[in-house]
Amino acid sequence: TLALLEDLRRCSFEMDVYVASASINACRKVSAWHQAVQLFREVTGRSVEANVILYNGALSACQKGSEWVGALQLFAEMASSCMERDIITYGAAISA
């Protein structure tokens, strides 16, 4: 999965929210929290607007990797940008 993501980057594939979400969740599934957060930062810094789905994917990846500092940082970013948080957001932040 991560190899496919690298292929997409090499081909200058422009990600949309669906591809970004699927890629972040693929990282979560293989316990690659760092790559999930890095991808989140990369895509939201370029062409994809951050939303609760992308944040939740990155938060869940941090949760799975027991990366509580990263999870709380993402949670705080959501609060500072007045982004609505949901049950998944709170659950991932608390469980991390």
Side-chain angles (χ1 to χ4, degrees):
T1 304
L2 296 177
L4 179 59
L5 181 57
E6 284 303 315
D7 287 343
L8 291 174
R9 285 181 177 147
R10 256 185 262 119
C11 295
S12 299
F13 182 80
E14 189 169 328
M15 286 208 191
D16 61 14
V17 69
Y18 303 106
V19 174
S21 179
S23 300
I24 289 168
N25 282 312
C27 291
R28 177 188 54 82
K29 287 180 182 178
V30 296
S31 299
W33 71 266
H34 188 265
Q35 287 89 344
V37 173
Q38 181 180 10
L39 178 60
F40 171 82
R41 300 271 183 234
E42 183 180 317
V43 298
T44 58
R46 289 187 184 171
S47 58
V48 178
E49 185 175 336
N51 62 25
V52 70
I53 295 167
L54 294 178
Y55 267 108
N56 284 349
L59 271 162
S60 294
C62 289
Q63 172 195 10
K64 186 163 184 179
S66 299
E67 177 54 32
W68 63 271
V69 174
L72 292 180
Q73 184 179 31
L74 289 164
F75 187 82
E77 286 175 23
M78 290 180 80
S80 68
S81 65
C82 298
M83 184 167 297
E84 187 174 334
R85 292 158 287 174
D86 60 15
I87 191 83
I88 296 168
T89 311
Y90 286 101
I94 291 168
S95 298

